[in-house]
Amino acid sequence: MSASAPETAAEHGAIIAGRADAVAARLALALPLVFLPAHAAVALTASNPIGAATLLCETLAAFIAALACGWRAQGSGNRERLGWLVIAVAMLCWSAGVGWQLLGALTPAGASGTGAISMLLFVLYGVPLVFLLASPNGDPWPARMVDAALALVLGLLFGAFIFSFVQLSGVSDAAGELTLSLMFDIQNIFIALFALIRYRASTNEQEQRFFGALSAFAGAYMLGAGYYNHFVEEQAGALVSLIVGAPFILLAVLALRRPGRTRALPKRGMFARVVHTGSPLILPVSMLILSAALVPSRPALAIAGCVAATLGYGLRAMLVQLHGMGERDRLAQLSQIDALTGLPNRRQFDEALRRELMRARRSGQGLALLMIDIDHFKLLNDTLGHQAGDERLRDVAGILQSCAARATDVIARYGGEEFAAILPGASPAEAMAVAEAMRAAVEERALASPGPGERVTVSIGAARLTEIEADTGQRLMERADAALYDSKRAGRNRVTAAWPVGEAARSVSA
């Protein structure tokens, strides 16, 4: 019963998640069928198309979108979760901005400062979205923190530019109102355009769905807000508020819908790489443009914006480069390590042998090589299975590594059940002592094996340089291999040494 409990809990969790998705899917169908007609009814019966009733509907629409995005974040992976949460924050800012307008509409004389606060919240609405577009998911988190800080500074610069001609009571003249509308048009076009670019450059289906939802919302909002900002006073139709609120319901529907079937995405190659690499430039370039616009009215702030853009992007580039160097070092290390045993692999062994040969020639000292083979390993694999064989390989690797007393000794997995040990500067006696210690340690560990003696043993062949100036790694390995085969022919579980003429005689120990 205890073994099946985790499976039952997992199945129960999957059932709950499936039910939640089903409820969300039904809610996604109900929202446009219920909320939009209700919003339209309010707009048709309201005496003022931009009065309190319609502002309340717009506030609720953005708040519903925020809730839907927050719900989607809970059922998403780590990278996608952050994106949905950031969109939810943007929706809350927009909802609060309209909420302040609603407060002003409900106050007989209009609450002091509500127009300026609404403008500030509308500016802050764009900050999280710009961060999403400019900060690729795969970048290291310190770089993304810099992106977040730059996005916030960009929002503050944008706000400073707007408040250079917007008073606490609102926009005082037609020219200022037109400039304000154009500024928000630029922000909306910017978000919609780059959301579409990120959608087209998506490298996986989850990312494509996410940016597809964002680009659909941003495009609809851009059109609706543009119409509202430029034509509502000239053609104050009753349903104009619905045009602004509908994109938020669209976003809520896209966030609540069930994910479709998984399908392969076409490879986008260079385009995706260019977008990924170039997206972080959005923030500093935008900051430099806004800083230039602020020079006539606020030169000190403009200089600060330029400095922040330059230093911020420089810091980000440094963090990404450091992360990339770390990843390259990690991959280089992994490419030289045997994944099963954790020992150096054949590639690193070959490099170490070449390096130690050159060092031996410079110093005139000797170089010993041990070739080590697990006895009857094929029988062990066939009888106990490959999983047991892998465990024995790991055990033997650990034993051999523990017998290498000097920091310069290199113990590597040469291939299959065969290991190798490079012993720089070792004399014949020292090399034999290490080899015998390895053989005895493996035997004493008494690892279960179907072979003779019912325990794992190793055979070892030892060789040293014959002529330091002329010898090659290949010749050294051939002599060590020959000594290893002599150990096996002599009955296994022994050390055989092939020493050069003039050194200690060929020796065998069992």
Side-chain angles (χ1 to χ4, degrees), residues 113-117 119 162-172:
T114 55
I117 294 175
M119 292 303 104
I162 288 178
F163 286 118
S164 64
F165 57 85
V166 174
Q167 306 301 319
L168 284 178
S169 57
V171 184
S172 58

Short mmCIF file of all heavy atoms in Angstrom, two decimals, residues 113-117 119 162-172:
data_model
loop_
_atom_site.label_atom_id
_atom_site.label_comp_id
_atom_site.label_asym_id
_atom_site.label_seq_id
_atom_site.Cartn_x
_atom_site.Cartn_y
_atom_site.Cartn_z
N GLY A 113 -5.73 66.01 -8.09
CA GLY A 113 -4.60 65.14 -8.42
C GLY A 113 -4.97 63.82 -9.03
O GLY A 113 -4.09 63.04 -9.37
N THR A 114 -6.27 63.50 -9.18
CA THR A 114 -6.63 62.19 -9.73
C THR A 114 -6.16 62.04 -11.17
O THR A 114 -5.77 60.94 -11.59
CB THR A 114 -8.16 61.98 -9.66
OG1 THR A 114 -8.81 63.08 -10.32
CG2 THR A 114 -8.63 61.90 -8.22
N GLY A 115 -6.18 63.12 -11.95
CA GLY A 115 -5.73 63.03 -13.33
C GLY A 115 -4.26 62.69 -13.42
O GLY A 115 -3.84 61.82 -14.20
N ALA A 116 -3.43 63.33 -12.59
CA ALA A 116 -2.00 63.07 -12.62
C ALA A 116 -1.69 61.67 -12.12
O ALA A 116 -0.83 60.96 -12.67
CB ALA A 116 -1.27 64.11 -11.77
N ILE A 117 -2.38 61.23 -11.05
CA ILE A 117 -2.14 59.88 -10.52
C ILE A 117 -2.53 58.83 -11.56
O ILE A 117 -1.83 57.82 -11.73
CB ILE A 117 -2.91 59.69 -9.21
CG1 ILE A 117 -2.35 60.62 -8.13
CG2 ILE A 117 -2.86 58.24 -8.74
CD1 ILE A 117 -3.11 60.59 -6.83
N MET A 119 -2.47 59.19 -14.82
CA MET A 119 -1.43 59.18 -15.84
C MET A 119 -0.20 58.40 -15.37
O MET A 119 0.39 57.63 -16.12
CB MET A 119 -1.01 60.62 -16.17
CG MET A 119 -2.08 61.45 -16.87
SD MET A 119 -2.68 60.72 -18.42
CE MET A 119 -4.28 60.07 -17.86
N ILE A 162 6.03 63.17 -19.43
CA ILE A 162 4.60 63.47 -19.48
C ILE A 162 4.26 64.61 -18.51
O ILE A 162 3.53 65.55 -18.84
CB ILE A 162 3.78 62.21 -19.17
CG1 ILE A 162 3.84 61.24 -20.36
CG2 ILE A 162 2.32 62.56 -18.86
CD1 ILE A 162 3.11 59.94 -20.13
N PHE A 163 4.82 64.53 -17.28
CA PHE A 163 4.47 65.55 -16.29
C PHE A 163 5.17 66.88 -16.54
O PHE A 163 4.95 67.84 -15.80
CB PHE A 163 4.79 65.03 -14.89
CG PHE A 163 3.82 64.00 -14.41
CD1 PHE A 163 4.25 62.72 -14.11
CD2 PHE A 163 2.48 64.29 -14.31
CE1 PHE A 163 3.36 61.76 -13.69
CE2 PHE A 163 1.57 63.33 -13.89
CZ PHE A 163 2.01 62.06 -13.58
N SER A 164 5.98 66.92 -17.59
CA SER A 164 6.53 68.22 -17.96
C SER A 164 5.47 69.10 -18.62
O SER A 164 5.65 70.31 -18.71
CB SER A 164 7.73 68.04 -18.91
OG SER A 164 7.31 67.45 -20.14
N PHE A 165 4.36 68.49 -19.07
CA PHE A 165 3.28 69.30 -19.63
C PHE A 165 1.90 68.90 -19.10
O PHE A 165 0.88 69.41 -19.56
CB PHE A 165 3.27 69.22 -21.16
CG PHE A 165 3.17 67.83 -21.71
CD1 PHE A 165 1.94 67.21 -21.88
CD2 PHE A 165 4.30 67.13 -22.05
CE1 PHE A 165 1.85 65.94 -22.38
CE2 PHE A 165 4.23 65.85 -22.56
CZ PHE A 165 3.00 65.25 -22.73
N VAL A 166 1.84 67.97 -18.13
CA VAL A 166 0.57 67.59 -17.50
C VAL A 166 0.59 68.09 -16.06
O VAL A 166 1.52 67.80 -15.31
CB VAL A 166 0.38 66.06 -17.54
CG1 VAL A 166 -0.88 65.68 -16.76
CG2 VAL A 166 0.27 65.57 -18.97
N GLN A 167 -0.45 68.83 -15.66
CA GLN A 167 -0.56 69.35 -14.32
C GLN A 167 -1.34 68.36 -13.44
O GLN A 167 -1.90 67.37 -13.93
CB GLN A 167 -1.27 70.71 -14.33
CG GLN A 167 -0.62 71.72 -15.27
CD GLN A 167 0.82 72.00 -14.91
OE1 GLN A 167 1.16 72.12 -13.74
NE2 GLN A 167 1.68 72.10 -15.92
N LEU A 168 -1.36 68.62 -12.13
CA LEU A 168 -2.10 67.75 -11.21
C LEU A 168 -3.57 67.65 -11.58
O LEU A 168 -4.21 66.63 -11.40
CB LEU A 168 -1.96 68.27 -9.78
CG LEU A 168 -0.61 67.99 -9.08
CD1 LEU A 168 -0.63 68.59 -7.69
CD2 LEU A 168 -0.35 66.49 -9.03
N SER A 169 -4.11 68.72 -12.10
CA SER A 169 -5.53 68.73 -12.46
C SER A 169 -5.79 68.09 -13.81
O SER A 169 -6.94 67.90 -14.21
CB SER A 169 -6.05 70.17 -12.47
OG SER A 169 -5.28 70.95 -13.39
N GLY A 170 -4.74 67.75 -14.54
CA GLY A 170 -4.91 67.14 -15.85
C GLY A 170 -4.27 68.01 -16.92
O GLY A 170 -3.52 68.94 -16.64
N VAL A 171 -4.60 67.69 -18.18
CA VAL A 171 -4.07 68.43 -19.32
C VAL A 171 -4.87 69.72 -19.48
O VAL A 171 -6.10 69.70 -19.51
CB VAL A 171 -4.13 67.59 -20.60
CG1 VAL A 171 -3.48 68.34 -21.75
CG2 VAL A 171 -3.44 66.25 -20.38
N SER A 172 -4.15 70.81 -19.61
CA SER A 172 -4.83 72.11 -19.61
C SER A 172 -5.18 72.61 -21.00
O SER A 172 -6.03 73.49 -21.14
CB SER A 172 -3.95 73.15 -18.90
OG SER A 172 -2.69 73.24 -19.54
#
